[in-house]
Structures are given as structure tokens and as C-alpha cells.
Amino acid sequence: MVFGGAREALRKSAKLDSYDIFLSHSFRDAEIILGVKKILERSGRTVYVDWIEDAQLDRSSVTAETADLLRRRMKQSLSLVYAYSESSTTSKWMPWELGYFDGYRSGQSIGIMPLVSGPGVKPAGQEYLGLYPRVEELKSESGRLLPYVVRGPGDGTQWKSLEDLGRATSSFKRLANGR
């Protein structure tokens, strides 16, 4: 699925003690997640992806050792981005990560990033994802596409930066002039 050379290069450049973002995702989306990681890093954030940072983990089975390591990594992270896809609905770990992180840091530090198309995607059976703001790419003041945390539909849309997500701020700004 992921090319060995690219995976190894990413692993060698990794191994941090703290992260801005814990990227919760389904391993079935590994190729897409590499792109998501790059998108999030464009805003200057550091991103934890388990199979890059901790390749020794076997996420296909639930063990106390894996849970302990994931808890430690979440405690080292300021925010969590939940990459929602069709694959995430069958993940053994994603709902657990979301619940743990919400209890540990707060819902103010969580953003949902839909990897499936369509406005206002509301996954059946996972309506709780609607409790959190979305992570979407918007044009920055300089005209670059960058990820922002957004809430609200249409003209009422509000945004905050990924940095503000890590600070667990509840203040959002009004969306104006296409940004």
C-alpha cells in the first residue's frame, strides 16, 4: 500500500517528543493519510501518524501495550484531527482515540476532517462526529490554501487556526471575503 522507501524516509525524519496534531485515521487510508499529513504540516504543525512514528505497533489487534503507547502519544499531542472516511467506520481504534482524547484534552482540541466528498457529511451510526468542528482547506490572507478549523453552514461559517485548535480556544472568527 505505502511504498517502503517513502515510509522509511518519513520514519527517519520523525520521532518527536511532542506533536501539535494526533492524526486519528484508518490504516486502510494510508496513501491518502500521507497527503493529509502534508496538508496539515503546510500550516507549520507537527503531526503524529502511528505507522510512521511507531511502526512496531500492530493495530489489527487490541492490546494493552498498543493502548498504552497510543495514550502516551495522545498526551504528547495538543490536538486531534479525526480523518473520517468510509474505512473509518470499521476502525477498532478511531472511536476509542476520539473518546480518550476528548476526555483528556477536551472537545475544543478536536477537529473532524472528512476524506469523503459532499457538504455536511453525516456518517450514519457516528452522529457524535457532528459535535466537533470540521477541518477544511480555505484560502489564507496570502491566497494559499491552508487547513483551518470551521463550524457552521454557508454564510454563518466561522473559522480558527490549527494553532488555536491546539490551544483549545473556543473563539472562532467570521468567514469573510472567500476566506
Side-chain angles (χ1 to χ4, degrees):
M1 200 179 246
V2 177
F3 299 106
R7 187 176 184 178
E8 186 61 29
L10 287 169
R11 190 180 306 123
K12 286 180 182 175
S13 68
K15 300 294 180 196
L16 301 174
D17 291 330
S18 64
Y19 303 89
D20 296 310
I21 299 169
F22 181 100
L23 185 53
S24 181
H25 65 284
S26 169
F27 183 72
R28 292 180 183 168
D29 297 323
E31 290 184 42
I32 296 168
I33 292 304
L34 284 174
V36 169
K37 183 178 188 296
K38 287 181 183 178
I39 288 169
L40 297 172
E41 290 173 338
R42 272 199 314 243
S43 66
R45 306 289 97 202
T46 56
V47 180
Y48 173 80
V49 175
D50 61 347
W51 48 269
I52 294 172
E53 300 287 328
D54 295 308
Q56 77 282 4
L57 288 179
D58 177 9
R59 299 236 6 224
S60 64
S61 63
V62 176
T63 66
E65 294 80 18
T66 298
D68 287 344
L69 181 56
L70 291 174
R71 277 189 204 102
R72 187 169 73 233
R73 295 300 189 205
M74 285 186 272
K75 288 178 180 178
Q76 292 173 318
S77 301
L78 297 174
S79 62
L80 179 137
V81 171
Y82 187 100
Y84 172 75
S85 72
E86 291 179 22
S87 299
S88 65
T89 61
T90 61
S91 172
K92 296 175 184 178
W93 289 100
M94 290 179 69
W96 178 82
E97 291 167 350
L98 180 65
Y100 180 84
F101 201 89
D102 190 319
Y104 180 71
R105 289 267 188 229
S106 91
Q108 298 294 332
S109 299
I110 296 170
I112 307 300
M113 187 173 197
L115 304 181
V116 293
S117 60
V121 173
K122 294 189 169 93
Q126 292 184 308
E127 289 80 8
Y128 55 87
L129 296 180
L131 297 173
Y132 306 99
R134 299 174 314 281
V135 176
E136 296 178 5
E137 283 189 294
L138 301 173
K139 280 190 180 178
S140 68
E141 291 175 349
S142 66
R144 290 181 49 207
L145 273 179
L146 292 173
Y148 288 91
V149 181
V150 298
R151 68 176 181 193
D155 293 339
T157 300
Q158 300 173 331
W159 67 274
K160 69 180 179 179
S161 69
L162 288 177
E163 183 176 3
D164 286 339
L165 183 68
R167 292 183 189 148
T169 64
S170 59
S171 59
F172 281 77
K173 299 173 187 169
R174 278 292 231 207
L175 189 64
N177 301 329
R179 180 171 159 240

